[in-house]
Structure formats: C-alpha cells, structure tokens
Amino acid sequence: MLESNVVTIARFVVGQERLAPRTTRGFASLLHDIALAAKLIAREVNKAGLVDILGGAGKQNVHGESVQKLDEFANRVMYRALDHTGLVACMASEENDTYIPIPDKFPAGDYVVIFDPLDGSSNIDVNVSIGTIFSIYRKITDGQRGTLEDCLQPGSRQVAAGYVLYGSSTMLVYTSRAGVHGFTLDPSIGEFVLSHPQMCFPDLPRKVYSVNEAYFDRWSRGQQRLISHLKNDGRFGSRYIGSFVADFHRTLLQGGIFMYPAERENPSGKLRLLYEASPIAMIAEQAGGRASTGLQDLSDVVPESLHQRTPVYVGSADLVDLAESFLQGASEI
Ligand code: AFP
C-alpha cells in the first residue's frame, strides 16, 4: 500500500480533471502515456554515460544490435506511447519534417500532441541536463483524423503543456490550466510523485537573467541596452546552461528571465514556436509569469509552419514587461 502522503501523478491528474476546463477523462490516460514515455527516456539518458562501454550511436552494442541516437530513440518512444491509444488525432515532433498521422490500423481521438522529444541534445555528451517538452491541443478540423491545420494553433488554445527534465533527478512539470505542478520520479517505486504543487515564480531579492551573451554583437540596440541595464541594476546575476528546459526550470524555481533574442541576421531567433516556446509560455503564464516574443505575447502567435522559430522572453512578469519596454519601438536592429 502507498504511504498516505505520497500522491502519484496518476492519482493527482484524476483529482484535477474537474478543475481543468478543456480536458476530458481521456486526458488522465494521455498524461499517463507521456509519463511512461518519460520513464523510458530517463532510463536511456541515465545510461548515456556508459556509451563508450555499450557502444555509441551508429555502432553495434554488446549484443550486436545497432545503437540509436538518443534523440531518435526518444522520438520513437513518444510516438509509440501515443500512436495506438485512440486518444490522439495526430502528432508533430521536432524530429519530423511533417506532421505525424495516426496509422489507419489504430483508432484516432481528439487530442493533438506536439513534442520536442529531447531538447538540448547537444548537451548529452557533456552530461548536462536535457528535457522533453510537450504540448496538447484539441482537434479543430471536422475529419476523423488530425491534419496539419490541427497542429498550427496558437499557444492560447493549448489544453495542457509540460516538460520532463532529466537532471540530478527526473522531474515532470505540467499544467492543464489549473496551476503548474511538478512531480519527481522516485526510482524505488518507478512512479512520478507530487513534489512541487502549485509552482509560481518567486520574487526573490537576487534576480537572474539567462541569455547566451556571446551573441551580444549580433543583437538589436534595444536588446543590447536591456542587457546593459540589467548589468547596471546591481541586483542581477547571470546563469546560462544552453538547455532550454533546464534554464526555464531554474527560472521557474528561482525567478528571473530567460531570453533567446532575435539577431540582426536571424530575426526569428533559434527556438521553435510549437515545440519549445508555446508550451513553456503556457506553463509560465499559469505560474504567474509571462512569455513574449519581445513584441507580443507568445501565446497569441498563430503558427504558419510546423518548424517556425521565434524570439523568446519568459519568466517573472515584471522582467518580461521590462524586456518589452526596451524592445518595443527599438526598431533599429
Ligand atoms: P540543441 O538541441 O542543439 O542542444 O539546442 C538546444 C536549444 O534548442 C535550447 O535547448 C537552448 O536553449 C538553445 O538551443 C541554446 O542555444 P545556443 O547554444 O545558441 O545558446
């Protein structure tokens, strides 16, 4: 029997359903499937350091089987966890060029699931935290199965969003518009258990900004002035991991602002709207923060293509407001 104070993710989600206006009973099952995929990915991520012993990607492992790259593995695990459930209309993944239909042999459902199976994967080799990001919408087209149009919805229409952080422990953080809740994988029972209920950006005296400052010379004057302002403010420290999930998670726990700005030669920045920015924006808003392109709320951006990129400013609401005040009107890039 479970200890009385342990709340597993399955138990928690069922209890939340009546609070989450846009979800149905199937949502609990969908989140359960994503949590299962996360456990399988976490198991492989934890083995990544043994790659020299077990064989690297493209090589044969000790069993003579060929070893997949971890991001390809994570992509397949997410797909296989969701393709047959009868809950999903279609999917889209950062790893696939086009949207992913549900095979005809399986029934299709109402939810559209969009994911980045392994974000920050260039950090794997140096043992830095990486993550999975997911975003859930309802199908908006009339047909039985989902289409590209169902994937191209603004973040404001998300039913739920979340991420999994593969760090010193594995955490799953999600929102279904009833607050943001964090669960830590307890390896001894193989379950995600509630560890961080009702997460909110704190307002601490020490502030943190997070941006890759090596790109300073490529930024607009407004962005450069913003960073100079933060440096002169006296209250700010700087942290940058280079792994969006890990940088955002720290920002959520400690407050501050994460930025991936536009550049003069690359006005869209690097991060993907559908796979990275929109889901993290929803979590930020539900945690009392804000997310912006620098010029408008990220949740209002209507995607035109699956792999569209966008500048990102996310974190404590007052700091995102401050960033916008430097960027709006500063059109000289
Ligand atoms: P990788 O998946 O190639 O490691 O990129 C990670 C990422 O998309 C995101 O997780 C980081 O916030 C961002 O790129 C870091 O980019 P820079 O290396 O340009 O700072």
Side-chain angles (χ1 to χ4, degrees):
M1 205 172 96
L2 283 177
E3 290 169 50
S4 58
N5 57 349
V6 171
V7 179
T8 64
I9 193 164
R11 188 188 189 100
F12 183 84
V13 174
V14 170
Q16 282 271 298
E17 271 182 351
R18 71 195 155 75
L19 302 172
R22 298 192 211 177
T23 59
T24 61
R25 188 126 197 95
F27 176 74
S29 180
L30 190 59
L31 202 68
H32 177 267
D33 295 334
I34 292 173
L36 174 62
K39 287 186 230 174
L40 293 169
I41 297 168
R43 193 182 62 187
E44 291 305 303
V45 168
N46 288 337
K47 283 199 294 201
L50 296 170
V51 80
D52 289 339
I53 302 165
L54 301 177
K59 299 179 193 164
Q60 303 261 304
N61 68 15
V62 285
H63 308 292
E65 301 152 342
S66 76
V67 179
Q68 282 182 308
K69 278 178 68 189
L70 210 45
D71 41 11
E72 286 163 14
F73 171 83
N75 198 34
R76 184 135 193 87
V77 167
M78 286 292 284
Y79 170 73
R80 292 289 298 274
L82 299 168
D83 66 345
H84 61 284
T85 60
L87 295 168
V88 179
C90 64
M91 301 177 230
S93 163
E94 210 250 355
E95 291 284 319
N96 293 61
D97 292 339
T98 56
Y99 83 96
I100 310 167
I102 298 299
D104 288 340
K105 63 180 175 185
F106 296 130
D110 231 14
Y111 289 109
V112 176
V113 186
I114 297 183
F115 52 86
D116 183 349
L118 213 55
D119 183 66
S121 48
S122 66
N123 290 302
I124 296 170
D125 290 348
V126 288
N127 214 353
V128 164
S129 299
I130 48 181
T132 297
I133 311 176
F134 60 91
S135 171
I136 302 174
Y137 295 84
R138 301 301 287 261
K139 181 165 78 68
I140 49 170
T141 55
D142 291 334
Q144 258 200 338
R145 281 161 195 270
T147 64
L148 175 62
E149 192 183 335
D150 293 303
C151 299
L152 299 180
Q153 300 188 53
S156 55
R157 296 232 193 104
Q158 286 172 108
V159 170
Y163 61 81
V164 184
L165 175 65
Y166 309 102
S168 48
S169 55
T170 300
M171 270 197 79
L172 189 153
V173 174
Y174 90 97
T175 180
S176 53
R177 297 200 182 277
V180 177
H181 310 286
F183 301 81
T184 302
L185 183 62
D186 180 343
S188 67
I189 56 170
E191 288 278 3
F192 282 103
V193 296
L194 183 63
S195 52
H196 296 65
Q198 291 292 357
M199 297 171 84
C200 286
F201 290 99
D203 185 16
L204 303 176
R206 180 178 177 272
K207 312 277 175 198
V208 174
Y209 72 84
S210 183
V211 70
N212 191 338
E213 243 175 302
Y215 304 148
F216 190 91
D217 290 342
R218 304 183 199 168
W219 293 336
S220 69
R221 294 279 301 131
Q223 174 66 29
Q224 290 176 339
R225 279 195 214 110
L226 168 64
I227 296 302
S228 304
H229 173 85
L230 297 177
K231 282 183 197 297
N232 292 332
D233 180 283
R235 291 173 300 164
F236 282 86
S238 168
R239 292 280 185 280
Y240 190 74
I241 297 168
S243 181
F244 187 33
V245 173
D247 276 315
F248 176 74
H249 189 67
R250 184 201 53 251
T251 306
L252 178 56
L253 291 181
Q254 300 185 344
I257 183 168
F258 170 88
M259 299 168 255
Y260 204 108
E263 294 169 11
R264 277 192 295 273
E265 304 295 326
N266 176 20
S268 302
K270 179 181 183 187
L271 301 185
R272 313 274 182 164
L273 175 62
L274 282 168
Y275 309 106
E276 295 168 307
S278 289
I280 295 295
M282 180 180 177
I283 294 166
E285 286 167 10
Q286 283 288 316
R290 281 199 61 210
S292 169
T293 64
L295 301 175
Q296 69 173 127
D297 273 344
L298 260 168
S299 304
D300 293 337
V301 181
V302 182
E304 288 171 6
S305 65
L306 277 180
H307 294 280
Q308 185 170 329
R309 297 173 193 269
T310 177
V312 172
Y313 296 81
V314 63
S316 307
D318 57 335
L319 296 178
V320 177
D321 291 348
L322 178 76
E324 282 181 337
S325 72
F326 277 84
L327 296 161
Q328 289 172 356
S331 56
E332 86 282 24
I333 190 137

